[in-house]
Amino acid sequence: MGSQFHAISFTSLILASSLVLISLYVSYHQQLKVEKDIIISSLRATVQLIIMGYVLNYLFSYESPIFTVIILLVMLFNASYNAAKRGNGIPNAFPISCVAIGVGATVTLTILVASGILSFTPYQMIPIGGMVISGAMVAIGLCYRQLLANFENRREEVEIKLALGATIQQSSLSILRDVVKTGMQPNLDSAKTLGIVSLPGMMTGLILAGMDPIEAVKYQIMVTFMSISTTSLASFISTYLGYRGFFNRKMQLVRHIGKAS
Amino acid sequence: MLYISCKDVVFTDGSNEVLKGINLDIEQGECVSIVGHSGSGKSTFLKLLSGLISPTSGDIFVGAQSIDDYKPSLYRRKVSYCFQQPYLFGRTVRDNVEFPFQIHGKRVDWDRVHELLDLFQMPHSYIDKLNVDLSGGEKQRLCLIRSLINDPDVILLDEVTSALDANNTLIVESVLQHMHKEQDKTILAITHNEEQSRRYVNRRITIEAGRIVNEEVL
């Protein structure tokens, strides 16, 4: 199959928007009372994506590496801010998120650029950087929630280990392993079913846009590897930096930190 | 010789003043029982002595040194604390008896483990038993063994016999008597059984509403 870019007409897009009516009907019929949410979400997605399209178009015209780095940093801070909200109550959640996402994304992107898969141009770095950073953000959010829940529910286990003379890391080790796994698991699970249960969005998009499926698969393999590496690194770093906030200098488990939600 | 000294110890949890100025001296080798109603602050007091929480104000001295001057992990080897609910780690008895050695980077001293198993009347073959196969009394005895492996000077016990049957209670009491009389350990045990406290302790302290309201030498 050759490369045949299939453009979507404005009229087709308007017709496709009628699909939203189906969810509106379901909500109305089942009295779910999410009609307002459906309309707002659809409008927001449309407006945000249109703006993003124009912004990317504008950004891609700049070839400056500094400019690319600035855009990646803006993404990093935004993602860290959002991830930190999940860790409400964990001390220093924002700087920890910055370090975890920063290291995870930098390592992954450096390897991709060094191996020649990506070139350091805004056209490649911004969309791929966005995927890497948002993957790390989601993983860190999961880790924070799990940290809060585990230190709340397994308080006694930690205190018993502390009482035996364990360090804070020794007394938290089983919790930390569980938390890092939680951050990594969605990506590992989705990687296991790729091509069998699901055709991932990016690959589907490339094929729809006319790319040869074999080429699209190569991109998807790269995305899968980079997602696994970034989420692993980000989960590990955020967990091992974040858990320390649950203890004070006297190696005591701090009472009432955050609220597991 | 004075071993533990509490001076004006206050502990506040949010707006709730749990302990309202505890003053208490305990000699080395004393065996003290702490009694009082639920919510009187006796568990909080024991937890303060364990170093797992710190007083809001006041001082606690152990062995002529403020609790704050100890390295926490070393202090907790010296002062053991056994919780009311028996909580076991991992899957087997082995996981639990090995943990106190592993955290200090030591090889497991099986002679010490066997000595404690004998004292608590648990067969050596129990080492590979699954945690889930132990009875409530066996779990609590195993928790006590785990907390005594490091040979602490002070033993803090938070109602460890409250859920045990008569036989298990007698086994635990006989070990505590042995530790107290033969090994000169300092023991503080919360109990709500007056008869029990008379059986093996030197002194009984009553805490009510965050204050020591009675001290009785037995």
Side-chain angles (χ1 to χ4, degrees):
Chain A
M1 196 165 104
S3 185
Q4 298 169 320
F5 177 69
H6 174 71
I8 300 174
S9 72
F10 189 67
T11 322
S12 311
L13 211 52
I14 296 283
L15 287 172
S17 69
S18 63
L19 293 169
V20 175
L21 295 175
I22 296 173
S23 27
L24 279 174
Y25 173 74
V26 171
S27 171
Y28 175 74
H29 187 260
Q30 294 291 309
Q31 298 182 350
L32 304 178
K33 295 184 177 165
V34 288
E35 294 94 324
K36 198 174 151 193
D37 274 350
I38 293 170
I39 292 169
I40 290 173
S41 309
S42 308
L43 283 175
R44 274 189 65 166
T46 310
V47 173
Q48 284 167 197
L49 287 172
I50 288 171
I51 293 171
M52 179 49 79
Y54 280 104
V55 169
L56 286 177
N57 223 355
Y58 176 74
L59 294 178
F60 290 167
S61 62
Y62 278 87
E63 289 292 327
S64 157
I66 295 170
F67 190 71
T68 308
V69 170
I70 291 171
I71 297 296
L72 290 173
L73 283 176
V74 170
M75 287 180 183
L76 168 75
F77 285 122
N78 259 310
S80 302
Y81 175 74
N82 270 303
K85 279 202 286 192
R86 295 275 177 212
N88 189 20
I90 298 177
N92 303 316
F94 177 70
I96 289 171
S97 307
C98 285
V99 172
I101 298 176
V103 172
T106 306
V107 169
T108 305
L109 292 175
T110 304
I111 290 172
L112 291 178
V113 171
S115 63
I117 292 174
L118 291 183
S119 58
F120 201 82
T121 56
Y123 185 74
Q124 297 209 331
M125 292 306 283
I126 293 172
I128 295 292
M131 287 173 83
V132 166
I133 289 170
S134 75
M137 174 188 78
V138 173
I140 292 173
L142 287 173
C143 288
Y144 285 159
R145 284 171 73 115
Q146 195 67 13
L147 266 179
L148 286 164
N150 275 359
F151 274 110
E152 180 70 28
N153 301 333
R154 295 168 67 178
R155 228 191 137 78
E156 198 177 0
E157 174 191 337
V158 177
E159 288 201 316
I160 289 172
K161 289 178 177 173
L162 287 173
L164 290 168
T167 61
I168 60 167
Q169 187 172 331
Q170 287 167 334
S171 58
S172 315
L173 205 56
S174 57
I175 286 181
L176 301 184
R177 286 181 182 144
D178 177 56
V179 172
V180 175
K181 249 195 236 173
T182 303
M184 292 169 63
Q185 206 64 54
N187 263 287
L188 295 175
D189 286 346
S190 105
K192 279 183 209 159
T193 57
L194 277 182
I196 300 171
V197 179
S198 63
L199 283 183
M202 192 202 76
M203 194 173 114
T204 313
L206 289 174
I207 294 170
L208 283 174
M211 187 184 263
D212 186 310
I214 300 297
E215 287 305 311
V217 161
K218 284 184 192 166
Y219 269 96
Q220 187 55 52
I221 291 172
M222 174 197 81
V223 167
T224 305
F225 288 163
M226 76 183 195
S227 301
I228 291 175
S229 87
T230 314
T231 50
S232 308
L233 272 171
S235 302
F236 175 79
I237 295 169
S238 60
T239 302
Y240 274 78
L241 292 178
Y243 89 96
R244 292 171 185 277
F246 288 82
F247 297 89
N248 62 21
R249 281 186 192 172
K250 294 177 184 171
M251 285 170 54
Q252 295 165 339
L253 188 54
V254 178
R255 299 156 75 82
H256 315 307
I257 193 165
K259 226 181 176 182
S261 54
Chain B
M1 188 175 76
L2 182 63
Y3 198 59
I4 298 173
S5 181
C6 302
K7 297 195 186 305
D8 298 321
V9 171
V10 172
F11 182 80
T12 310
D13 183 14
S15 58
N16 179 24
E17 198 175 41
V18 185
L19 294 176
K20 299 168 181 167
I22 298 280
N23 287 290
L24 181 68
D25 290 332
I26 294 165
E27 302 286 320
Q28 182 166 16
E30 252 197 295
C31 186
V32 179
S33 83
I34 303 168
V35 296
H37 289 108
S38 291
S40 59
K42 53 191 192 303
S43 286
T44 303
F45 176 56
L46 215 62
K47 214 166 178 182
L48 282 169
L49 290 177
S50 76
L52 289 174
I53 52 174
S54 294
T56 310
S57 66
D59 294 302
I60 298 173
F61 295 89
V62 175
Q65 199 177 330
S66 168
I67 210 171
D68 291 334
D69 296 337
Y70 283 95
K71 191 180 169 201
S73 55
L74 291 180
Y75 177 80
R76 290 166 193 166
R77 284 177 70 178
K78 191 182 176 74
V79 178
S80 84
Y81 176 62
C82 199
F83 289 66
Q84 184 176 6
Q85 294 297 329
Y87 185 99
L88 299 177
F89 313 140
R91 289 178 59 247
T92 63
V93 172
R94 181 184 294 275
D95 293 333
N96 288 276
V97 295
E98 286 183 350
F99 186 79
F101 296 104
Q102 287 165 348
I103 56 176
H104 298 115
K106 284 182 177 176
R107 287 174 61 180
V108 179
D109 178 353
W110 287 108
D111 290 340
R112 173 71 179 152
V113 174
H114 291 153
E115 181 196 346
L116 288 166
L117 284 170
D118 291 340
L119 271 174
F120 281 93
Q121 299 180 27
M122 289 178 86
H124 295 187
S125 59
Y126 266 42
I127 288 295
D128 288 313
K129 222 172 177 186
L130 294 173
N131 294 341
V132 289
D133 291 337
L134 298 178
S135 69
E138 287 170 336
K139 282 180 184 164
Q140 189 59 283
R141 280 188 274 158
L142 179 57
C143 286
L144 282 159
I145 289 173
R146 192 177 60 193
S147 67
L148 295 172
I149 277 175
N150 286 323
D151 196 23
D153 296 336
V154 181
I155 301 168
L156 307 172
L157 306 166
D158 190 353
E159 294 198 54
V160 289
T161 56
S162 61
L164 300 185
D165 58 24
N167 184 43
N168 276 300
T169 303
L170 283 175
I171 293 171
V172 171
E173 280 181 13
S174 73
V175 177
L176 295 178
Q177 267 177 331
H178 171 83
M179 296 269 167
H180 170 50
K181 289 189 175 144
E182 308 292 326
Q183 300 182 4
D184 201 31
K185 303 287 183 196
T186 307
I187 301 173
L188 275 90
I190 293 177
T191 171
H192 51 211
N193 184 330
E194 195 167 314
E195 193 189 322
Q196 185 185 8
S197 65
R198 285 187 184 279
R199 280 203 290 266
Y200 67 96
V201 302
N202 312 117
R203 184 153 56 127
R204 188 168 63 211
I205 290 161
T206 309
I207 296 182
E208 287 303 344
R211 287 194 171 89
I212 293 178
V213 292
N214 190 37
E215 280 190 58
E216 195 181 348
V217 177
L218 302 171

